[in-house]
Amino acid sequence: PNVEMTFAFEYCNDNQQYAVTLKNDLTVGLVETVPVAGLTLNGQLKRLVPGECFTKIVRRKVNTCKRFFSASLKVEGKRNIVDDYCFGWFYYRSYPTRLIDEPPTTDDNTSTPDFGCSVSADVTCSVDSTGEDCEKMFVPFEECREDVDMTFVFEYCNNELYSEVDLFPSKTFGLVETVDVEGFNYETLQAGDCRRKYVSRKINTCKKSFAASLKVEGLRQSDGDYCFAYNHLREYVVREYPPCVLTADMVCSMKRTGESCDNLVVPLSECRNDEVAEFTFKYCSGENDFTINLNKARTQAAINSEGVNGLNTNPLIPGQCRDIVVEREINTCTRGNFAGSIKINGNRIGATGSDAADFCYGYDFGRYKINRPEETPAPTISSSPSNSPSGTGTISSSPSVLPSSSVKPSDSPSSGPTDCSGLSLRDREARMVKLISSVSDSADLSNPQSPQSRARDWLIYEDEFESLCSAPCSRSGELGAGVIQRYVLAVFYFSTNGDGDGDTSPWLTCGRNSQRACRPNLKNFNGDPVETYFGEEVWLSPVSECLWGGLTCKTQNECLDRIEFEANNVGGTIPTEIEQFYDMRFLYLEGAIDTDDYLSGSLNLLEGEIPAEVVKLDALLILDLNYNTLQGEIPIGVFGMTKLRQLDLNHNLLSGTIPTEVGNLDELRFLQFDNNQFSGPVPAEFGNLDQILTLELFNNTLTGEIPAELCTRTNINDLTADCTIPGAVNYVYCGCCTACYPFMADLS
């Protein structure tokens, strides 16, 4: 009676262009009659981007002493932008086979198969005036009517070979829209018998869609087995034209061998540092009637972080394709990755209707890994059968095997390769819990509502990507530590209200509930000497976290290189676990685009204090947290981050004094502390910043004077302070400022 089983509930957005937002109260899963929790992420709106699927794994105890057990999933929502209704439904029933049972027989001694009752339901529709099927009717809005005559056919069948089915009159019914269909024949259905009910109705074609449904329930006479069938018909009235079709495709192969870059295996003895890879970028118009005008600024291709020149951005006529072949040298003697991407953006010329229908978009991305073959060492000749073969061992290229060292040599564990595949669910969970417990406080993990608990539960029970076998990009040297990078990013997501909640709206883009497409705009990306790659996937998607929008990772080691969002409704707090990103160089979390955007009050902003753990980001070059509501003092350790080139903290609520240690930031080019609550004297150590180009200190309560050393620098472009009104409590003397606050235009 208590057999543990696993049920997988999956729903997908099969639309090619539009995202779908689900209705929480109408998206329901059941095992028997018990609801399944978590289908819509704890009651929050679940948004599916085009092609995205969501899977919920549920474990339940099932009574196999019964003749059958069942589960069902119903999904309802609306298609974004065009606001169309979406529906999906599936019913699952399983019948345990009784090996000792004697199969029932009919009068002619023919055995009846011991399977579940088989009945079916079907609904079709046609337009009376034309006889055509109702599917995808094209009706311009000016020609729509509220009383178009249509005929609906409701057909229900007994698909049993031998047994009759007794119908339940109260549970066998049909609907057109929400109006009942009368006149169904509820008499016993003979084996193989079908019945049809024809219904004429007037349909309003000025609406976007109309629907009909049929449900059939009953019992199989031979054994009393339950019979069920359901069908839902929804037809859409097409107003204008279908979504624009624009495709993008990228193919990579090695020029010398013709071998595909996918699953590339290169023995070390055959590697070359100047191997040439050929990338073919192809983009096509799938339109039949309209020419597509390409957006030149947003039609681009890249190999690693380097842009591809020569893309033809002239308009694409219907059915036209273009391609370009680009060669790049690849060093196959390294174990690194390389990547390519193509993004095509444009709009139809001459099409009328909504902007969404006119928008055209195509995207493809590929990331390729240089693998080594598994080499079996030659055995030594020995008289003892117990001796092992000699030779140098190799690390398998399979993603289920981890190398014996972390990407940080100083943190390398001493153990050899460990196979992280094939773990039982219990062992997998135990290993992941151990890793997570090493980076998060136990008090946070014991609170079921904390970002840490939500991230842990998502990672262990919902995430389909096997992070246990990922590169160990964290301060932990333990094998399997690839879990930590993904876990901490999930903590960041929940800590900054990525999904939103009842009182807070979600991220504007790249979140699971975001209403906008994930199209991050990355700064300082082109021309970067460090090879990195990125993607445009929604956060918490079942792909590598390096492909989530707003992130980049280093091609060499798959470690996080940046987090970047601007005016994206990122609120909440920065979690302390961020210290694990020891290799990250860029942290951009700008709350708004500019002052007007900041003061509008329409955006969620970061709050709380800058966590002290941020000082452990040893590789950080840019820390940009401007236009937020961060409070408290700047952690003193920030002024020991000697690689920093940009420190932007303007437009916050930061307070305290600016410490003299600011003079230790030898590489600093940009420092913006304006529009905060800093007080005390201006440190003379600002004069030690030899590389400074921008220094903005205005709209605080600082006193003293700008160091004279800064006035001798010819490389300073912007130097501002509260230097307008001598004698004011926040007056700073400055003999060389490029602007003083309050600015002269504001003095009246």
Side-chain angles (χ1 to χ4, degrees):
N2 292 304
V3 178
E4 188 165 290
M5 298 186 183
T6 299
F7 296 82
F9 294 81
E10 180 179 84
Y11 51 90
C12 300
N13 176 8
D14 294 331
N15 287 276
Q16 295 183 355
Q17 181 167 353
Y18 299 110
V20 172
T21 299
L22 303 183
K23 295 183 177 180
N24 297 339
D25 55 336
L26 298 177
T27 296
V28 180
L30 298 173
V31 176
E32 299 287 57
T33 58
V34 181
V36 173
L39 282 175
T40 55
L41 307 174
N42 299 321
Q44 300 176 20
L45 285 174
K46 172 66 180 174
R47 179 179 178 273
L48 293 176
V49 299
E52 182 184 7
C53 292
F54 179 79
T55 302
K56 175 68 177 178
I57 305 297
V58 178
R59 296 180 181 86
R60 291 283 171 85
K61 293 186 183 297
V62 173
N63 185 357
T64 57
C65 299
K66 296 168 57 179
R67 288 191 57 81
F68 60 83
F69 56 92
S70 63
S72 63
L73 173 63
K74 184 185 73 166
V75 181
E76 294 189 49
K78 66 177 182 178
R79 191 164 58 171
N80 293 357
I81 301 177
V82 291
D83 204 29
D84 276 343
Y85 173 80
C86 304
F87 179 87
W89 191 85
F90 188 79
Y91 183 84
Y92 173 85
R93 180 176 289 275
S94 181
Y95 295 83
T97 302
R98 312 295 186 205
L99 296 180
I100 62 174
D101 283 356
E102 291 293 332
T105 59
T106 60
D107 294 338
D108 59 1
N109 275 340
T110 306
S111 296
T112 303
D114 189 20
F115 300 124
C117 178
S118 177
V119 294
S120 61
D122 188 48
V123 183
T124 58
C125 168
S126 61
V127 181
D128 290 358
S129 60
T130 64
E132 294 179 352
D133 192 280
C134 299
E135 184 179 6
K136 295 181 180 178
M137 298 172 56
F138 178 74
V139 182
F141 195 77
E142 59 272 14
E143 299 178 14
C144 73
R145 290 165 40 204
E146 297 182 0
D147 57 352
V148 176
D149 291 318
M150 298 186 188
T151 297
F152 294 83
V153 181
F154 297 83
E155 180 180 78
Y156 47 109
C157 299
N158 175 5
N159 299 321
E160 294 289 311
L161 297 176
Y162 308 106
S163 180
E164 300 172 339
V165 172
D166 294 324
L167 299 178
F168 295 153
S170 62
K171 296 184 178 180
T172 297
F173 59 85
L175 298 172
V176 176
E177 299 287 63
T178 57
V179 180
D180 287 332
V181 174
E182 298 179 352
F184 280 102
N185 184 344
Y186 301 117
E187 295 180 0
T188 298
L189 266 176
Q190 301 299 314
D193 188 20
C194 288
R195 293 181 186 151
R196 294 181 182 87
K197 174 66 179 176
Y198 294 84
V199 178
S200 295
R201 290 285 169 85
K202 295 186 182 296
I203 299 298
N204 184 356
T205 59
C206 297
K207 296 169 57 180
K208 291 182 178 180
S209 63
F210 54 93
S213 61
L214 172 62
K215 186 176 76 165
V216 178
E217 293 189 49
L219 293 178
R220 187 166 60 184
Q221 281 191 0
S222 61
D223 56 6
D225 201 14
Y226 173 75
C227 307
F228 178 89
Y230 179 81
N231 187 256
H232 182 91
L233 171 76
R234 178 160 295 273
E235 301 292 6
Y236 293 89
V237 181
V238 180
R239 296 288 176 223
E240 301 293 345
Y241 305 96
C244 179
V245 180
L246 178 62
T247 62
D249 186 50
M250 184 196 67
V251 177
C252 174
S253 62
M254 308 308 293
K255 183 176 181 180
R256 182 171 58 88
T257 63
E259 183 182 4
S260 171
C261 298
D262 294 313
N263 302 316
L264 189 63
V265 179
V266 181
L268 197 58
S269 58
E270 300 177 13
C271 75
R272 300 171 59 168
N273 59 10
D274 59 351
E275 193 75 72
V276 176
E278 283 188 343
F279 293 82
T280 301
F281 299 94
K282 184 177 181 179
Y283 47 108
C284 299
S285 166
E287 292 294 294
N288 295 320
D289 302 312
F290 295 102
T291 294
I292 298 176
N293 187 36
L294 298 182
N295 185 322
K296 295 182 179 180
R298 298 192 175 187
T299 295
Q300 51 194 259
I303 299 173
N304 290 328
S305 58
E306 184 179 350
V308 171
N309 297 321
L311 285 180
N312 186 339
T313 56
N314 291 327
L316 282 172
I317 63 176
Q320 183 182 11
C321 290
R322 295 194 185 119
D323 59 62
I324 180 173
V325 179
V326 180
E327 296 182 357
R328 289 287 166 87
E329 287 190 356
I330 303 295
N331 184 357
T332 58
C333 295
T334 70
R335 290 294 296 267
N337 301 326
F338 57 99
S341 63
I342 179 172
K343 179 171 67 173
I344 309 296
N345 194 307
N347 62 280
R348 288 168 168 155
I349 297 177
T352 60
S354 67
D355 293 335
D358 295 341
F359 177 74
C360 310
Y361 181 80
Y363 177 76
D364 195 23
F365 174 86
R367 180 160 58 92
Y368 311 101
K369 184 176 183 179
I370 301 170
N371 300 298
R372 302 282 181 244
E374 290 192 49
E375 299 175 3
T376 305
T380 57
I381 300 175
S382 171
S383 59
S384 171
S386 62
N387 285 352
S388 301
S390 64
T392 302
T394 60
I395 297 175
S396 167
S397 62
S398 166
S400 63
V401 179
L402 285 172
S404 61
S405 63
S406 164
V407 292
K408 289 195 74 180
S410 61
D411 293 330
S412 301
S414 58
S415 58
T418 298
D419 189 352
C420 66
S421 66
L423 292 175
S424 68
L425 290 175
R426 180 174 298 177
D427 290 343
R428 175 183 178 273
E429 179 177 344
R431 183 175 295 186
M432 296 178 82
V433 167
K434 178 182 177 182
L435 289 164
I436 290 169
S437 299
S438 70
V439 299
S440 287
D441 188 89
S442 59
D444 291 327
L445 291 171
S446 63
N447 177 4
Q449 301 303 319
S450 71
Q452 290 78 8
S453 285
R454 295 174 67 188
R456 176 199 59 205
D457 294 347
W458 166 79
L459 187 66
I460 295 177
Y461 303 117
E462 296 182 31
D463 188 21
E464 298 175 16
F465 184 81
E466 190 46 80
S467 56
L468 204 59
C469 303
S470 301
C473 291
S474 69
R475 293 190 179 277
S476 173
E478 183 172 351
L479 293 174
V483 167
I484 294 178
Q485 176 168 281
R486 193 171 182 87
Y487 163 72
V488 175
L489 283 170
V491 172
F492 175 85
Y493 179 80
F494 289 116
S495 183
T496 56
N497 300 321
D499 277 344
D501 54 35
D503 300 320
T504 306
S505 54
W507 287 1
L508 297 180
T509 182
C510 297
R512 296 188 295 186
N513 298 331
S514 300
Q515 299 298 310
R516 302 178 187 173
C518 186
R519 306 284 184 263
N521 182 23
L522 305 179
K523 303 175 183 176
N524 301 315
F525 187 77
N526 294 325
D528 188 348
V530 177
E531 290 189 358
T532 58
Y533 65 97
F534 68 95
E536 297 182 338
E537 302 292 336
V538 171
W539 279 53
L540 308 192
S541 295
V543 297
S544 167
E545 64 272 14
C546 292
L547 300 181
W548 297 348
L551 306 178
T552 65
C553 287
K554 294 181 179 178
T555 305
Q556 181 180 8
N557 56 18
E558 301 183 25
C559 292
L560 186 69
D561 189 54
R562 80 169 61 211
I563 302 175
E564 180 170 354
F565 289 113
E566 180 182 43
N568 194 43
N569 230 27
V570 175
T573 59
I574 302 173
T576 59
E577 288 86 353
I578 200 171
E579 67 177 329
Q580 294 295 325
F581 302 142
Y582 70 89
D583 218 18
M584 184 168 65
R585 295 182 300 150
F586 304 99
L587 181 58
Y588 293 97
L589 296 174
E590 300 171 282
I593 297 174
D594 52 30
T595 303
D596 290 340
D597 193 29
Y598 178 60
L599 297 176
S600 69
S602 61
L603 292 166
N604 297 331
L605 304 171
L606 289 172
E607 57 190 20
E609 298 185 350
I610 300 174
E613 288 76 8
V614 76
V615 305
K616 295 183 181 180
L617 305 179
D618 307 324
L620 207 63
L621 301 179
I622 294 178
L623 178 59
D624 189 344
L625 304 176
N626 62 17
Y627 293 113
N628 282 291
T629 57
L630 296 168
Q631 303 179 27
E633 299 185 3
I634 302 173
I636 189 65
V638 168
F639 301 103
M641 302 170 70
T642 55
K643 292 183 181 180
L644 273 180
R645 297 181 184 179
Q646 182 173 331
L647 181 57
D648 287 351
L649 302 175
N650 56 286
H651 289 84
N652 276 285
L653 303 174
L654 298 169
S655 57
T657 60
I658 301 175
T660 59
E661 287 81 357
V662 71
N664 297 332
L665 302 177
D666 298 332
E667 298 295 322
L668 202 64
R669 272 77 161 172
F670 300 91
L671 188 149
Q672 293 179 306
F673 282 178
D674 58 278
N675 289 280
N676 276 285
Q677 298 173 7
F678 293 119
S679 58
V682 174
E685 286 73 13
F686 273 134
N688 299 338
L689 304 180
D690 295 333
Q691 306 292 326
I692 199 72
L693 302 175
T694 295
L695 176 60
E696 298 189 341
L697 303 174
F698 66 90
N699 204 10
N700 284 288
T701 55
L702 298 169
T703 58
E705 63 182 85
I706 299 296
E709 292 87 344
L710 292 178
C711 293
T712 64
R713 306 271 166 75
T714 59
N715 57 337
I716 294 183
N717 299 319
D718 294 292
L719 179 58
T720 62
D722 297 311
C723 51
T724 299
I725 307 174
V729 293
N730 62 336
Y731 177 69
V732 173
Y733 174 76
C734 182
C736 58
C737 280
T738 57
C740 287
Y741 188 89
F743 301 127
M744 294 304 296
D746 298 328
L747 286 179
S748 61

